Amino acid sequence: MTTAEYNQCVDRFSDGVYRFILKNMRDEDKARDVVQDSFEKMWLKVGEISFEKARSYLFTTAYHAMIDAIRKEKYQTPLDDATMNDHGYHDEYLGLKEVLEKALMRLPSDQRSVVLLRDHEGYSYREIGEITGLSETQVKVYIYRARVYLKNYIGRMDVVV
């Protein structure tokens, strides 16, 4: 891959990778760090990666960096006002987007990732398998289970709206 192709990858894919990581991590600063690390890793291997495989490489690298960051964070439990407010009762109406985001955050990280890659980013089952390291069958099972959970969590649309 040439420097011009690398720059083209940054222009074309950085927003998509960032949105995917942000949807999973829910922290803008950490999502930016993961995206930046992914592009840095791609730059270090720019001679080994073909331009056609750059998108897949970026999403795969970002996915694995995100999993590593989540695992590191797992052992830390910050307690602040925002965390305390999440555990209280809220009587205000949440829009459909907020309800869906709340439901997505309740999914296990593997299921959330595959659903976002499929429904939000538009990847095929095979591509999701390559990115996450799962088999195509596992991807289909995770997506099915996630969708069933989301359907049960959200309930009927007339109840939400």
Side-chain angles (χ1 to χ4, degrees):
M1 178 183 329
T2 66
T3 303
E5 290 174 331
Y6 175 83
N7 290 334
Q8 199 175 23
C9 287
V10 172
D11 292 339
R12 289 176 60 192
F13 306 131
S14 60
D15 288 339
V17 174
Y18 174 73
R19 282 191 319 268
F20 169 66
I21 298 301
L22 182 62
K23 284 278 188 186
N24 280 286
M25 294 190 78
R26 309 284 293 174
D27 186 329
E28 291 178 5
D29 293 329
K30 291 177 183 171
R32 282 189 202 111
D33 288 344
V34 168
V35 173
Q36 184 174 358
D37 289 344
S38 301
F39 276 101
E40 179 186 11
K41 288 177 184 174
M42 187 168 132
W43 178 251
L44 294 174
K45 294 187 176 193
V46 75
E48 302 170 21
I49 302 167
S50 69
F51 180 67
E52 294 78 26
K53 303 252 182 193
R55 180 178 183 220
S56 178
Y57 177 85
L58 280 170
F59 272 90
T60 302
T61 304
Y63 173 79
H64 290 293
M66 177 191 67
I67 295 298
D68 291 343
I70 290 171
R71 286 180 181 154
K72 286 179 188 174
E73 210 175 88
K74 187 181 187 181
Y75 297 108
Q76 301 170 353
T77 55
L79 186 61
D80 56 7
D81 290 337
T83 306
M84 294 302 289
N85 289 338
D86 284 345
H87 297 292
Y89 173 75
H90 299 287
D91 198 20
E92 74 270 4
Y93 168 74
L94 295 175
L96 182 57
K97 182 178 179 182
E98 287 86 12
V99 171
L100 184 58
E101 287 178 6
K102 198 175 210 181
L104 281 169
M105 292 313 296
R106 295 178 61 104
L107 288 171
S109 63
D110 288 340
Q111 290 180 9
R112 180 174 54 244
S113 296
V114 296
V115 164
L116 288 172
L117 284 169
R118 177 70 178 168
D119 296 335
H120 191 64
E121 297 296 329
Y123 279 102
S124 70
Y125 294 121
R126 183 185 50 75
E127 291 172 321
I128 295 169
E130 291 172 5
I131 291 170
T132 60
L134 300 170
S135 71
E136 195 171 329
T137 304
Q138 287 174 310
V139 169
K140 290 177 183 179
V141 168
Y142 282 176
I143 289 174
Y144 172 78
R145 288 178 182 167
R147 288 178 177 166
V148 167
Y149 175 81
L150 292 172
K151 179 181 173 187
N152 291 333
Y153 180 82
I154 294 173
R156 295 188 331 256
M157 287 304 293
D158 59 324
V159 175
V160 176
V161 180

